[in-house]
Amino acid sequence: MRKTQDRVNKHKPWIETSYHGVITENNDTVILDPPLVALDKDAPVPFAGEICAFKIHGQELPFEAVVLNKTSGEGRLRAKSPIDCELQKEYTFIIQAYDCGVGPRETAWKKSHKAVVHIQVKDVNEFAPTFKEPAYRAVVTEGKIYDSILQVEAVDEDCSPQYSQICNYEIVTTDVPFAIDKNGNIRNTEKLSYDKQRQYEILVTAYDCGQKPAAQDTLVQVDVKPVCKPGWQDWTKRIEYQPGSGSVPLFPSIHLETCDGAVSSIQITTELQTNYIGKGCDRETYSERSLQKLCGASSGIIDLMPSPSAATNWTAGLLVDSSEMIFKFDGRQGAKIPDGIVPKNLTDQFTITMWMKHGPSPGVRAEKETILCNSDKTEMNRHHYALYVHNCRLVFLLRKDFDQADTFRPAEFHWKLDQICDKEWHYYVINVEFPVVTLYMDGATYEPYLVTNDWPIHPSHIAMQLTVGACWQGGEVTKPRFAQFFHGSLASLTIRPGKMESQKVISCLQACKEGLDINSLESLGQGIKYHFNPSQSVLVMEGDDIGNINRALQKVSYINSRQFPTAGVRRLRVSSKVQCFGEDVCISVPDMDAYVMVLQAIEPQISLRGTDHLWRPTTQFESARGVTLFPDLKIVSTFAKAEAPGDLRTTAPKSAVLEEMLHNLDFCDILVLGGDLDPRQECLELNHSELHQRHLDATNSTAGYSIYGVGSMSRYEQVLHHIRYRNWHPGSLETRRFRIKCSELNGRYTSNEFNLEVSVLREARVSDKEHVNHLIVQPPFLQSVHHPESQGSIQRSSVVPSIATVVIIISVCMLVFVVAMGVYRVRIAHQHFTQEAEAAKEAEMDWDDSALTITVNPMEKHEEPGHGEEETEEEEEVEEDVSSSSSESEDSEEEEEEEGVGRGRHGQSGARHTQLEWDDSALPY
């Protein structure tokens, strides 16, 4: 048949390789160059030489191609819906031509090569100019002529340069002492008098280059002031910041009124006060482990103060602010770090990092306040290494072990810094490359002002105890106890044995996510000098031109790069220093106090969705690939957005609409429910390559699988799709239950708990061969799905009733059959089984098993111990009759199956594709 079709329809249609088209917006006709024509060398053969269709490839394209003449191959490209140039100026897609095949049903059609179509949308001047502001306001001083009082600006939404540019402005109000130029600058044409008129209101319109006027004039209000007071004008005290807004100008209209003072230069200091937010400013609140990975820190970092959990319980007794993972010490707490967390030998290179907030020590002679201490656990009281504060000095102690040379070595490193006792958060990094020790505080480098030497420690058998918040005193006292308690707050205390951290990573770990910014540095103007402090909380600008200073301050912005920033107030202060030209008396500019109100971010609702119950055969549990637990898991995050009612006259409450949002996740935990995994026969598996290529990490235990690291929701989805469960001995297993929960920002936002149950699908086998016909008939609750053989790998999933239901049905059938055999005679039993085999044949004809064939051999003997000895001679005769009838039934069924496969392969596969499927990936065929 295929060869016959090929002899009739020999050639593919031919079209040009590319087309260029133009369409005017709000029109449906596309003018193509060259015209859309398809040719077929099979012409004039009917169907094979005719063109039946043009098909466009692309998603949601507003175009369609129709055939105007099948014989000539002429076609037309037209728009299905109105085309808007303002939405999209051009389109590019693929088109192909199809012939009519070999018959009226368009079978064995052939398609041309792919051609590229590029369409440009021609603009129409449909939009009028609109002003950016509905009204403008300016204040001028009486008796002065201004080159520019203010500038109005209009925009046009048309897409072409001809119709989108503003070519002219015009003052509509007559008899006013003002003029406007083509750039929208308004000036006064005569000196204004406060006594004559205190306020002017003028209407201004704009024209685009197609001479279309503005849809609505804008109102310009000019106030005349009688006196002058030096100071900053046109600024607001409260600036609202919506999360995700980027860089928001603080004072977009501010200007300095100098009252014609002879100002030679001015210095402006803008300070953003965030000391009361988090750890000194708004920073990421991911776990320390996730932050280290985000900044590219070295692997092997040990978190000494993790959040309390079953595995890290040594911080459970400390006071903690869970929102920021800040540990507070009041001079009475200390924590022992279990043995094995930190190696005994830190080597000559290691790094200690921490956040610390500390104030002046109480008392005249302050005691040592221990942050980290490694001392003898018993017998003696030697400190091997320690980090502590003493009299507002930071001291690091490192006593090396005795080796070949018994000589003095550097042991104590002292730093004296004001920030140690300023009651503010600072980030400290101690890089050790013995004998050199360097301190980084808030990214700046500090060398110790004092280094003292000491003898090395002689080796001993005494074990060591590592503590935080205090030092363990195990010897030289009646009862071992904590001593030298710390007063203050600590966070993110880590140690990295064997390697020092780079300056780049240190800067990343302490960087603020909020601060001052300058929009468009290149447009600051000449003569403006500026300087930021490292955290960008203080900005100093200096210049000698008041206009440039005004424009520079208008570009000062607040920025917060966190997707979910900490809500609240950020105070602002702007102070000014003015210098005049050699005058004893100069103007004084008062300070400005304002604040940024960071609004509450929209809280996401993270949802985990997917199949919550799987049935898989035992062979799949035992296979090397195991059972894929979450093949269709979806992670979706939504937020509720209020929607105004359609009728504005009604007072009905606003309805909430869920919109999807994208953000990162920092961990997903897979917990095993109903008891831990038995490592002797079961496990959870995941290829490490799946993690590494998505920059994620994971830990595996008998309690579950934990995936962590900052990554997108799609990355976590892809990794979770590859989690597999294996069980080498699933014979005793009925079900296994798992639970997934994901988090963003170290548990600030968590998902729902998604529960999954995995059950073992066992093969139903009978012990007596006389019951075979009952098992041939498909149970009503099992539905098979037909898949074409061309689909390569066949994937199926199964949702069936419990195994207990299957066993009950089979047992009832067996019982009924055995009773019937005992009552009826051999001839009646023979007729009964013959009818039952015919019924089974009809049932199997309705079962589409083109992709899954289950064959039960009625000649096979299923014997149980001792059962064969109890059979009577009559039962043996019945078995022979039933076997022969069953064999004949199977032969007829196989012939019908071969015919049904050809008829139903195309007709039934599409209809049944959405039904429940068998998972036969591990079933032998």
Side-chain angles (χ1 to χ4, degrees):
M1 185 65 179
R2 168 65 68 178
K3 294 181 179 179
T4 303
Q5 294 173 351
D6 290 342
R7 287 196 298 269
V8 174
N9 192 5
K10 298 180 180 179
H11 303 93
K12 297 180 179 179
W14 178 90
I15 58 176
E16 298 286 348
T17 57
S18 63
Y19 296 88
H20 294 272
V22 177
I23 183 172
T24 303
E25 62 175 341
N26 302 322
N27 198 343
D28 64 346
T29 302
V30 180
I31 301 175
L32 281 180
D33 182 26
L36 183 60
V37 177
L39 303 176
D40 197 313
K41 292 183 178 180
D42 292 318
V45 178
F47 302 110
E50 297 175 346
I51 304 301
C52 270
F54 293 96
K55 292 188 179 180
I56 295 175
H57 301 282
Q59 294 184 351
E60 300 180 358
L61 290 170
F63 297 98
E64 62 180 357
V66 296
V67 177
L68 299 179
N69 190 316
K70 292 184 177 181
T71 303
S72 64
E74 181 182 359
R76 175 180 297 172
L77 187 64
R78 63 189 181 189
K80 297 187 293 185
S81 58
I83 303 299
D84 194 344
C85 178
E86 285 70 41
L87 295 179
Q88 191 166 346
K89 296 181 180 180
E90 56 185 25
Y91 297 85
T92 301
F93 51 86
I94 301 298
I95 192 170
Q96 283 182 291
Y98 291 73
D99 62 17
C100 297
V102 298
R105 295 185 180 181
E106 300 181 6
T107 57
W109 44 260
K110 290 187 176 182
K111 57 186 178 181
S112 69
H113 59 268
K114 295 180 179 179
V116 179
V117 181
H118 182 75
I119 297 177
Q120 291 183 332
V121 183
K122 185 177 180 181
D123 189 24
V124 174
N125 193 5
E126 56 184 331
F127 291 100
T130 57
F131 286 92
K132 286 188 174 181
E133 300 291 339
Y136 294 85
R137 183 181 179 184
V139 179
V140 297
T141 304
E142 62 178 345
K144 293 179 61 176
I145 296 293
Y146 292 88
D147 293 332
S148 177
I149 296 175
L150 61 85
Q151 183 184 26
V152 298
E153 188 177 358
V155 294
D156 196 305
E157 295 183 1
D158 285 305
C159 69
S160 64
Q162 178 182 1
Y163 300 135
S164 64
Q165 293 182 357
I166 306 300
C167 282
N168 192 25
Y169 291 92
E170 183 180 301
I171 295 178
V172 179
T173 307
T174 58
D175 299 329
V176 290
F178 299 97
I180 189 170
D181 61 17
K182 64 178 182 180
N183 295 322
N185 294 301
I186 299 177
R187 59 183 177 86
N188 57 322
T189 57
E190 62 184 47
K191 293 182 180 180
L192 305 178
S193 172
Y194 179 78
D195 295 331
K196 181 181 178 180
Q197 189 169 343
R198 300 183 180 183
Q199 186 181 82
Y200 293 88
E201 291 185 350
I202 58 177
L203 294 176
V204 177
T205 189
Y207 295 88
D208 63 18
C209 294
Q211 295 305 309
K212 193 166 190 174
Q216 184 175 0
D217 300 334
T218 187
L219 176 65
V220 178
Q221 180 178 311
V222 180
D223 294 327
V224 182
K225 65 178 182 178
V227 292
C228 180
K229 293 181 180 180
W232 296 104
Q233 298 182 2
D234 293 339
W235 58 276
T236 57
K237 189 176 183 66
R238 173 189 171 102
I239 303 101
E240 289 191 352
Y241 184 84
Q242 184 68 42
S245 301
S247 185
V248 174
L250 297 173
F251 314 109
S253 303
I254 196 171
H255 68 277
L256 178 63
E257 179 57 68
T258 63
C259 298
D260 295 330
V263 176
S264 62
S265 67
I266 181 171
Q267 184 185 81
I268 306 170
T269 302
T270 306
E271 182 181 2
L272 178 68
Q273 300 172 353
T274 60
N275 296 336
Y276 47 89
I277 301 294
K279 296 191 287 290
C281 68
D282 214 0
R283 293 182 169 91
E284 293 291 6
T285 55
Y286 290 116
S287 65
E288 186 64 23
R289 183 169 55 182
S290 297
L291 286 175
Q292 297 276 0
K293 190 171 183 64
L294 270 179
C295 291
S298 306
S299 59
I301 293 174
I302 302 170
D303 191 356
L304 300 180
M305 300 179 66
S307 57
S309 65
T312 58
N313 59 357
W314 64 86
T315 58
L318 301 178
L319 301 176
V320 61
D321 181 355
S322 58
S323 62
E324 296 284 348
M325 288 313 302
I326 296 172
F327 293 87
K328 300 180 179 180
F329 297 86
D330 59 3
R332 292 178 293 181
Q333 295 94 13
K336 294 181 180 180
I337 298 177
D339 297 339
I341 299 297
V342 178
K344 295 181 179 180
N345 183 16
L346 294 179
T347 72
D348 287 339
Q349 287 187 347
F350 59 92
T351 300
I352 298 175
T353 67
M354 67 175 177
W355 284 96
M356 183 177 74
K357 180 180 179 181
H358 181 265
S361 304
V364 179
R365 297 187 60 184
E367 294 184 354
K368 295 179 180 180
E369 299 179 57
T370 301
I371 300 168
L372 179 68
C373 180
N374 189 30
S375 59
D376 290 333
K377 186 177 291 187
T378 58
E379 299 183 28
M380 302 180 71
N381 191 29
R382 299 176 300 175
H383 293 187
H384 297 262
Y385 62 86
L387 181 64
Y388 60 89
V389 176
H390 189 210
N391 288 328
C392 290
R393 291 166 174 79
L394 185 65
V395 183
F396 178 64
L397 169 69
L398 179 60
R399 299 281 304 278
K400 299 294 290 184
D401 291 337
F402 175 81
D403 53 14
Q404 300 297 330
D406 189 4
T407 59
F408 262 16
R409 298 182 182 180
E412 283 191 354
F413 304 83
H414 300 249
W415 293 271
K416 184 179 180 180
L417 303 172
D418 295 336
Q419 293 89 338
I420 295 174
C421 290
D422 66 356
K423 296 183 180 180
E424 303 292 347
W425 280 105
H426 299 284
Y427 187 62
Y428 299 84
V429 177
I430 298 175
N431 265 352
V432 178
E433 189 174 16
F434 193 80
V436 178
V437 178
T438 304
L439 171 67
Y440 295 87
M441 190 197 69
D442 295 338
T445 306
Y446 297 90
E447 299 295 334
Y449 81 94
L450 175 64
V451 178
T452 59
N453 297 333
D454 203 346
W455 295 104
I457 294 179
H458 287 267
S460 68
H461 65 281
I462 302 174
M464 292 178 286
Q465 178 63 62
L466 184 61
T467 57
V468 293
C471 197
W472 182 252
Q473 191 171 358
E476 302 177 3
V477 291
T478 306
K479 183 179 179 181
R481 58 182 174 83
F482 280 117
Q484 301 173 0
F485 291 95
F486 180 73
H487 297 78
S489 299
L490 296 174
S492 304
L493 178 60
T494 69
I495 190 167
R496 168 62 171 92
K499 191 171 183 180
M500 296 191 305
E501 213 52 87
S502 66
Q503 178 72 45
K504 181 180 178 181
V505 172
I506 293 172
S507 299
C508 174
L509 291 173
Q510 62 91 32
C512 288
K513 294 300 180 181
E514 65 177 342
L516 298 175
D517 190 23
I518 297 179
N519 286 334
S520 183
L521 288 172
E522 63 275 4
S523 63
L524 274 182
Q526 296 181 354
I528 298 295
K529 300 177 182 179
Y530 68 94
H531 172 71
F532 282 104
N533 69 336
S535 62
Q536 287 193 217
S537 61
V538 178
L539 169 63
V540 179
M541 294 190 298
E542 186 176 354
D544 53 12
D545 183 80
I546 298 300
N548 287 340
I549 283 289
N550 288 337
R551 286 187 288 272
L553 191 54
Q554 290 169 7
K555 297 180 184 300
V556 176
S557 305
Y558 170 81
I559 187 171
N560 194 316
S561 59
R562 295 189 64 195
Q563 187 175 9
F564 307 105
T566 304
V569 172
R570 274 61 161 180
R571 290 190 290 268
L572 281 169
R573 167 157 290 194
V574 179
S575 57
S576 308
K577 293 181 180 180
V578 179
Q579 292 183 356
C580 299
F581 288 101
E583 298 184 6
D584 295 336
V585 179
C586 195
I587 63 172
S588 176
V589 179
D591 293 345
M592 272 195 316
D593 288 313
Y595 64 92
V596 178
M597 174 58 72
V598 179
L599 304 179
Q600 183 68 45
I602 299 174
E603 296 193 359
Q605 301 293 328
I606 307 172
S607 301
L608 306 180
R609 306 169 186 169
T611 304
D612 58 1
H613 203 156
L614 300 175
W615 282 264
R616 296 293 184 264
T618 57
T619 53
Q620 192 167 341
F621 284 89
E622 298 170 342
S623 66
R625 292 289 302 170
V627 175
T628 302
L629 295 181
F630 312 105
D632 58 350
L633 183 72
K634 293 292 183 183
I635 304 178
V636 179
S637 183
T638 57
F639 67 94
K641 182 179 180 181
E643 186 179 60
D647 189 354
L648 299 178
R649 296 171 296 179
T650 63
T651 58
K654 296 181 179 180
S655 59
V657 178
L658 292 181
E659 291 193 9
E660 187 171 345
M661 67 186 304
L662 299 178
H663 56 79
N664 290 328
L665 299 176
D666 55 358
F667 70 81
C668 283
D669 287 337
I670 305 171
L671 302 178
V672 181
L673 304 181
D676 291 352
L677 298 174
D678 185 354
R680 296 172 298 180
Q681 69 175 27
E682 57 183 344
C683 68
L684 290 173
E685 291 184 346
L686 177 65
N687 293 336
H688 290 291
S689 60
E690 301 293 340
L691 292 167
H692 292 164
Q693 66 185 4
R694 295 173 178 87
H695 306 288
L696 299 176
D697 289 317
T699 56
N700 191 3
S701 68
T702 57
Y705 216 104
S706 180
I707 303 168
Y708 60 89
V710 180
S712 63
M713 293 185 290
S714 61
R715 286 186 181 181
Y716 272 86
E717 265 188 16
Q718 293 165 4
V719 171
L720 290 171
H721 287 171
H722 292 85
I723 292 288
R724 307 184 305 275
Y725 170 68
R726 294 181 60 196
N727 193 310
W728 299 276
H729 307 289
S732 60
L733 178 67
E734 289 294 336
T735 60
R736 254 301 183 190
R737 294 187 299 120
F738 303 91
R739 174 178 295 164
I740 300 185
K741 189 173 184 180
C742 296
S743 155
E744 164 66 337
L745 292 177
N746 201 25
R748 178 177 173 184
Y749 303 113
T750 57
S751 70
N752 61 310
E753 294 182 346
F754 177 77
N755 295 318
L756 170 69
E757 185 172 335
V758 183
S759 301
V760 179
L761 181 65
R762 306 185 188 280
E763 295 185 18
R765 298 185 180 275
V766 296
S767 58
D768 296 322
K769 59 187 178 181
E770 59 267 29
H771 304 314
V772 168
N773 284 349
H774 288 280
L775 299 181
I776 294 178
V777 181
Q778 182 186 12
F781 52 78
L782 294 178
Q783 300 186 21
S784 63
V785 178
H786 173 78
H787 292 272
E789 296 177 356
S790 61
Q791 288 184 349
S793 62
I794 303 174
Q795 300 178 350
R796 302 177 178 90
S797 63
S798 171
V799 180
V800 299
S802 63
I803 301 302
T805 306
V806 178
V807 173
I808 292 173
I809 294 175
I810 295 175
S811 301
V812 170
C813 294
M814 293 174 60
L815 180 61
V816 172
F817 192 75
V818 170
V819 171
M821 284 176 31
V823 175
Y824 294 100
R825 289 178 294 181
V826 175
R827 183 175 181 180
I828 296 176
H830 175 72
Q831 294 175 354
H832 174 70
F833 284 119
T834 302
Q835 295 173 358
E836 197 163 342
E838 294 175 356
K841 179 178 70 176
E842 294 175 359
E844 285 212 272
M845 289 176 65
D846 293 334
W847 183 11
D848 179 15
D849 59 351
S850 57
L852 177 64
T853 304
I854 302 176
T855 305
V856 181
N857 186 2
M859 298 301 294
E860 182 181 355
K861 294 183 179 181
H862 301 275
E863 296 183 0
E864 297 180 357
H867 184 72
E869 297 177 0
E870 298 176 3
E871 293 181 344
T872 60
E873 295 179 357
E874 291 182 354
E875 291 175 339
E876 293 176 358
E877 294 176 2
V878 171
E879 291 177 19
E880 295 176 359
D881 295 335
V882 172
S883 299
S884 61
S885 62
S886 299
S887 302
E888 295 173 359
S889 175
E890 284 189 354
D891 293 337
S892 62
E893 288 170 4
E894 291 176 357
E895 295 175 359
E896 293 178 2
E897 285 176 2
E898 294 176 355
E899 297 176 0
V901 168
R903 294 193 305 267
R905 179 162 297 159
H906 298 287
Q908 298 180 6
S909 62
R912 299 192 179 186
H913 186 67
T914 58
Q915 295 182 1
L916 300 178
E917 303 176 343
W918 280 89
D919 182 72
D920 62 343
S921 56
L923 290 176
Y925 290 96

